[in-house]
Amino acid sequence: MNMFIDKGVSYVQKQRLAYIDFLLMFRGYFSRSDLTAKFEMGMANATRDIALYKELSPNNIELENSTKQYLQSKNFKPLFNHDAKKTLVKLANDITDGFDAIGDISFPIDAPSQLNIPDIFIVAKLVQAILNKKPVNVIYTSLSSGSASRELIPHSIVDNGLRWHVRAFDRKTKSFRDFVLTRVSKVTIKDQIIEPYEDKLEDHQWMRMMPLQLVPHPKNVQHPTAIAMDYGMENGVLELNVRAALAGYLLRRWNVDCTLNAELSGGEYQLWLKNRQTLYGAENLAIAPGYQQSEDD
């Protein structure tokens, strides 16, 4: 950005400005102590950085005198470009600075294109609501009922391998559900109290951990050692603990045969769920390959 060159901003100071911008956008506030702790700097330097940020983006922050916190203003427009794909990876891995660690170096590594990239401003509002324990009003478009207003209490944002969704309590159905982020077109944070039954701790499907035992498919794989090497199995078994709310997504993503006797045929089914009884009581299993609850479960 030319404005940084014009102001003689150093690379290190630019990092600190990006951190301020990041906190404002995704948490909704920051304090001088955030800067001093993150960058191991004195209060005077933090004060200068805040003053420079206000000079560059005068309409982005408001000081709350009672808490000495700088709040995101209603007219907030990010000073930096927060690329959706990169920022989602940062959020998922607790990287909270505003820069990419690898910089501008081009590495010979590629990945398939993502078909489903949510609006980063929608993500930011939801993250703010989660961190500050606030309900949100959203405009959500579903396959069954089209666009409508919903009141949600979000608690987690999840990449299920195919698309991003937010896990939230839905006040309409009075249940915890998954909402696809790309179907959310507007988010308004509400200044309301969250009821105890709306808290994440009451989302039993989320809090319940399921032990999964994945093994090379006994019928479709000719050389099981290759599959064991692919997935880092020990003694021919990959043991995972996953949330009940996410089990179906994982099993679908990796084409895990969930039939009782490894009955699915085809080269895409290289894994078999050995302990399928662990899935009892989990929701969202309609997408788990071949899973049908039997009397033995």
Side-chain angles (χ1 to χ4, degrees), residues 2-3 22 40 71 108 116 118 137 148 159 161 173 179 198 202 220 227 261 283 293 296:
N2 291 332
M3 72 176 80
F22 190 93
E40 299 181 356
L71 310 182
N116 178 289
N137 184 276
D159 175 11
T173 61
F179 295 89
E198 299 173 326
E202 296 301 313
N220 297 335
I227 301 301
N261 298 305
E283 298 173 357
Q293 189 169 317
D296 297 330

Side-chain angles (χ1 to χ4, degrees), residues 152-168:
L152 310 177
I153 293 83
H155 68 67
S156 302
I157 292 177
V158 179
D159 175 11
N160 68 17
L162 294 175
R163 57 192 181 186
W164 291 85
H165 68 257
V166 58
R167 182 79 176 173

Side-chain angles (χ1 to χ4, degrees), residues 50-98:
I50 295 169
L52 178 57
Y53 185 87
K54 289 174 68 176
E55 183 181 348
L56 296 171
S57 297
N59 298 319
N60 273 7
I61 57 178
E62 298 173 352
L63 175 63
E64 186 177 65
N65 291 313
S66 60
T67 61
K68 301 299 182 184
Q69 290 180 335
Y70 294 89
L71 310 182
Q72 181 196 98
S73 71
K74 293 181 179 179
N75 299 316
F76 175 82
K77 292 183 179 179
L79 180 61
F80 292 81
N81 177 32
H82 301 279
D83 178 83
K85 288 193 293 186
K86 294 178 182 178
T87 303
L88 284 166
V89 171
K90 290 179 186 179
L91 292 170
N93 291 278
D94 293 327
I95 302 171
T96 53
D97 61 14

Side-chain angles (χ1 to χ4, degrees), residues 137-140 147-151 172:
N137 184 276
V138 304
I139 302 300
Y140 188 75
S147 297
S149 175
R150 306 285 280 264
E151 278 197 17
K172 179 182 178 181

Side-chain angles (χ1 to χ4, degrees), residues 171-284:
R171 283 180 170 170
K172 179 182 178 181
T173 61
K174 300 189 182 305
S175 62
F176 289 94
R177 309 181 74 171
D178 298 338
F179 295 89
V180 181
L181 285 182
T182 48
R183 296 180 187 170
V184 178
S185 56
K186 185 179 180 181
V187 178
T188 303
I189 299 176
K190 302 176 72 68
D191 190 19
Q192 293 180 350
I193 300 297
I194 294 177
E195 299 295 336
Y197 61 85
E198 299 173 326
D199 188 82
K200 177 172 72 172
L201 294 177
E202 296 301 313
D203 186 351
H204 303 301
Q205 289 287 310
W206 183 263
M207 301 304 296
R208 177 186 173 190
M209 301 302 294
M210 287 185 157
L212 303 182
Q213 295 178 347
L214 307 183
V215 300
H217 200 285
K219 299 175 183 177
N220 297 335
V221 174
Q222 188 174 0
H223 300 287
T225 301
I227 301 301
M229 293 173 68
D230 282 347
Y231 295 95
M233 295 179 178
E234 293 186 9
N235 300 317
V237 180
L238 175 61
E239 296 191 0
L240 302 172
N241 277 308
V242 302
R243 299 187 186 279
L246 304 179
Y249 296 123
L250 182 143
L251 295 167
R252 178 182 64 171
R253 180 181 184 184
W254 296 108
N255 288 326
V256 180
D257 183 345
C258 299
T259 59
L260 186 61
N261 298 305
E263 300 150 25
L264 298 182
S265 61
E268 68 270 30
Y269 301 110
Q270 298 180 340
L271 297 169
W272 175 52
L273 179 62
K274 185 178 180 180
N275 63 330
R276 72 188 300 278
Q277 70 277 4
T278 193
L279 299 179
Y280 181 79
E283 298 173 357
N284 202 25

